[in-house]
């Protein structure tokens, strides 16, 4: 069969890599892909927001299954468009994808159906939002309602910081139209965990747990990013907690979406805070997490394509997922300045050496290829170089018998790679290691 993966980041590289292991698959296309994906799939220069062009390409090439990576085309209705043409596609329809597209909608859904989450209020008037902030004080969490590439959440430790955040989100519009509405919610303390689940409208099957690192700097300091690293499994997510989340979060939200006339099919991401009062939902996402996917899929034994087909065809109850026992740790290498301003086009060195380490996988996120003259002159033969082309550049993933082993191997590989301005966190999986007494 022919598979089309939509997107061009680290998540999509991991999806292409895993899909390529399926005996069902003969050919993989990726739109638009990146320098790493080009080694595994045929990259086509169609951006994820060009939905009509993607539909036409899938029709022309006889694509048997399309897998949508990013949230923006899902929220824009790419699944609806493909289904209208009779094309098989993995992902939620537009009305179901609103569970990520609008934090206000997700919060309202959780309140209506008793799904545990933080107390909150939603505002369209910045003055009323400021008044509420002064009333509740700090710390407090402020979230742009719409899509903001994982950066629209501000955890304010002081009232002054929160008031600045209101202005930045709602008046300066730092996150564009996503800031038209603002969700102000209670600050929760505890350990975070990411739980992904396959959902076919009625049934759900959870994937292995993982933990993301959102803050830019060591010690969970600095601004929120799209994710600076992840590991799987998350030791804090015990079997007892998993059962509780299935009973109180995953099962109820799947049923709630049916009752709301928005049956959910695809992958559902639940970002959870494990508080003293039990798990609380921080957010729902309508797609595979990034960088969580890069550490979860390498641990999956099961044929991902077979599982996706079961979701699309409404027979997920037939699927059981099997997992390798090894732990996976992923470190994101980012451009200097990320998540703020950064430069692109920096030559990346050491990729082949790092990839040669047994147990190491390199998932490209923001990379491109360019030709450069051999010997530094404009004449003569030319060679191809891989250069930076985004904020998050690479995900360096390592597998090990323990999280400690995987951490050590991941950072050994990181030490072999370099590009100008390269920035990464040096404490990925620190919570898991502290649980192990390290």
């Amino acid at each position: 069969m022919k598979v089309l993966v939509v997107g061009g980041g680290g998540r999509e590289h991991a999806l292409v890599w895993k899909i390529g292991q399926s005996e069902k698959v003969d050919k993989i296309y990726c739109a638009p892909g990146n320098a790493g994906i080009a080694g595994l799939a045929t990259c086509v220069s169609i951006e994820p927001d060009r939905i009509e062009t993607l539909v036409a390409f899938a029709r022309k090439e006889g694509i048997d299954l399309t897998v949508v990576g990013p949230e923006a085309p899902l929220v824009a209705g790419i699944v609806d468009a493909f289904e209208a043409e009779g094309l098989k596609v993995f992902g939620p329809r537009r009305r179901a994808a609103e569970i990520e597209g609008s934090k206000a909608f997700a919060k309202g859904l959780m309140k209506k159906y008793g799904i545990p989450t933080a107390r909150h209020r939603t505002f369209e008037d910045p003055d009323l939002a400021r008044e509420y902030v002064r009333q509740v004080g700090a710390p407090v969490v402020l979230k742009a309602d719409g899509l903001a590439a994982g950066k629209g959440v501000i955890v304010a430790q002081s009232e002054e910081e929160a008031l600045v955040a209101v202005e930045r989100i709602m008046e300066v519009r730092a996150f564009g139209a996503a800031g038209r509405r603002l969700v102000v919610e209670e600050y929760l303390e505890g350990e975070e965990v990411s739980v992904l689940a396959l959902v076919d409208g009625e049934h759900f099957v959870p994937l292995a747990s993982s933990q993301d690192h959102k803050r830019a700097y060591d010690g969970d300091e600095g601004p929120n990013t799209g994710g600076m690293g992840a590991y799987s499994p998350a030791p804090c997510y015990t079997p007892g907690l998993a059962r509780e989340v299935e009973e109180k979060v995953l099962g109820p939200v799947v049923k709630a979406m049916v009752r709301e006339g928005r049956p959910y099919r695809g992958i559902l991401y639940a970002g959870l805070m494990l508080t003293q009062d039990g798990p609380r939902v921080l957010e729902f996402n309508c797609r595979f997490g990034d960088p969580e996917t890069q550490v979860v899929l390498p641990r999956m034994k099961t044929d991902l394509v077979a599982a996706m087909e079961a979701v699309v065809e409404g027979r997920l109850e037939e699927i059981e997922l099997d997992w390798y026992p090894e732990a996976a740790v992923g470190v994101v290498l980012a451009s200097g300045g990320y998540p703020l301003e950064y430069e692109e086009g920096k030559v990346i060195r050491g990729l082949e050496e790092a990839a040669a380490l047994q147990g190491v996988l390199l998932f490209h996120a923001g990379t491109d290829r360019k030709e450069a003259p051999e010997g530094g002159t404009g004449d003569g033969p030319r060679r191809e170089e891989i250069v930076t082309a985004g904020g998050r550049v690479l995900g360096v993933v390592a597998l090990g018998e323990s999280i400690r082993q995987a951490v050590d191997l991941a950072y050994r590989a990181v030490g072999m790679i370099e590009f100008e301005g390269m920035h990464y966190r040096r404490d990925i999986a620190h919570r898991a290691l502290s649980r192990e007494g390290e």
Side-chain angles (χ1 to χ4, degrees):
M1 62 186 293
K2 294 181 180 180
V3 177
L4 168 64
V5 176
V6 176
R11 165 185 50 218
E12 288 76 33
H13 192 173
L15 284 167
V16 167
W17 172 82
K18 186 63 180 175
I19 288 167
Q21 296 174 4
S22 173
E23 293 182 358
K24 292 172 165 281
V25 176
D26 302 307
K27 177 77 173 176
I28 306 174
Y29 296 91
C30 191
N34 60 39
I37 292 172
L40 301 173
T42 299
C43 293
V44 291
S45 56
I46 307 173
E47 291 300 320
D49 59 353
R50 293 171 57 194
I51 294 174
E52 291 183 5
T53 308
L54 288 166
V55 169
F57 175 84
R59 230 183 8 238
K60 177 186 174 186
E61 296 296 332
I63 299 297
D64 299 292
L65 176 66
T66 296
V67 179
V68 185
E71 61 273 21
L74 291 166
V75 172
I78 189 172
V79 170
D80 309 65
F82 270 71
E83 288 184 342
E85 294 293 327
L87 295 166
K88 192 180 290 187
V89 56
F90 179 87
R93 295 171 184 154
R94 181 185 60 79
R95 279 171 49 78
E98 197 172 352
I99 202 165
E100 177 173 2
S102 170
K103 292 180 178 63
F105 166 75
K107 282 290 187 179
L109 184 82
M110 287 186 271
K111 183 176 181 181
K112 181 176 179 179
Y113 291 95
I115 297 166
T117 189
R119 294 189 300 271
H120 72 284
R121 290 273 301 276
T122 301
F123 298 93
E124 294 186 11
D125 183 329
D127 289 330
L128 293 178
R130 278 187 277 264
E131 183 180 324
Y132 182 69
V133 164
R134 293 188 183 100
Q135 178 185 329
V136 299
V140 67
V141 181
L142 301 98
K143 298 180 175 180
D145 175 56
L147 299 180
K151 306 184 192 89
V153 177
I154 296 174
V155 180
Q157 297 295 336
S158 67
E159 184 178 305
E160 181 183 6
E161 188 181 352
L163 293 173
V164 169
V166 172
E167 179 184 16
R168 185 165 174 246
I169 293 172
M170 300 194 78
E171 295 175 330
V172 176
R173 292 291 177 94
F175 307 110
R180 186 177 65 82
R181 288 192 294 183
L182 175 71
V183 175
V184 182
E185 68 178 40
E186 168 192 18
Y187 174 79
L188 297 176
E189 291 191 80
E191 196 161 351
E192 289 188 42
V193 65
S194 302
V195 179
L196 308 174
L198 295 166
V199 184
D200 71 354
E202 295 183 18
H203 310 94
F204 68 90
V205 177
L207 277 61
S209 66
S210 59
Q211 189 172 89
D212 184 15
H213 295 65
K214 285 288 185 191
R215 297 298 191 99
Y217 310 127
D218 291 358
D220 297 315
E221 298 289 336
N224 269 326
T225 71
M228 292 298 295
Y231 62 95
S232 175
C236 62
Y237 196 65
T238 63
L241 270 172
R243 286 192 296 272
E244 185 177 357
V245 168
E246 290 175 28
E247 292 169 3
K248 295 183 178 180
V249 176
L250 296 177
V253 76
V254 171
K255 291 177 181 176
M257 292 295 278
V258 171
R259 292 189 189 119
E260 292 294 308
R262 305 168 185 251
Y264 194 97
R265 294 185 186 90
I267 195 87
L268 180 67
Y269 169 123
L272 306 170
M273 181 71 81
L274 306 181
T275 75
Q276 289 185 337
D277 300 318
R280 297 287 183 270
V281 178
L282 296 173
E283 63 179 354
F284 285 117
N285 292 332
C286 65
R287 38 68 189 186
F288 282 97
D290 187 349
E292 293 95 337
T293 301
Q294 291 92 302
V295 294
V296 170
L297 291 188
R299 300 188 58 233
M300 181 186 284
K301 277 187 183 179
T302 307
D303 185 326
L304 178 61
V305 174
M308 288 177 165
E309 287 186 303
V311 166
V312 174
E313 296 166 8
R315 49 180 182 82
L316 188 57
E317 72 275 14
E318 300 175 8
I319 297 294
E320 286 188 22
L321 300 180
D322 292 323
W323 301 91
Y324 294 109
E326 288 85 2
V329 172
V331 180
V332 170
L333 306 185
S335 296
Y338 175 79
L340 303 176
E341 291 185 8
Y342 56 85
E343 294 181 353
E344 298 183 351
K346 307 300 183 183
V347 176
I348 307 169
R349 297 180 174 85
L351 294 174
E352 291 183 5
E353 292 84 350
L357 291 176
Q358 186 172 357
V360 169
L361 298 164
L362 300 185
F363 293 123
H364 291 232
T367 64
D368 200 356
R369 293 175 185 267
K370 76 170 186 180
E371 283 194 344
E374 295 277 6
T377 66
D379 301 321
R382 302 178 72 82
R383 70 183 187 281
E384 207 171 43
E385 293 179 328
I386 295 180
V387 299
T388 65
R392 290 187 295 175
V393 176
L394 288 163
V396 181
V397 175
L399 296 164
E401 292 183 9
S402 65
I403 289 177
R404 174 79 267 172
Q405 282 190 13
V407 164
D408 289 346
L409 181 56
Y411 281 107
R412 183 182 165 199
V414 166
M416 297 177 171
I417 301 169
E418 63 176 347
F419 57 86
E420 184 183 331
M422 186 173 88
H423 160 66
Y424 60 93
R425 282 186 54 164
R426 291 167 169 79
D427 63 348
I428 299 301
H430 66 88
R431 293 186 187 87
L433 295 178
S434 67
R435 281 177 171 268
E436 295 177 357
E438 297 188 38

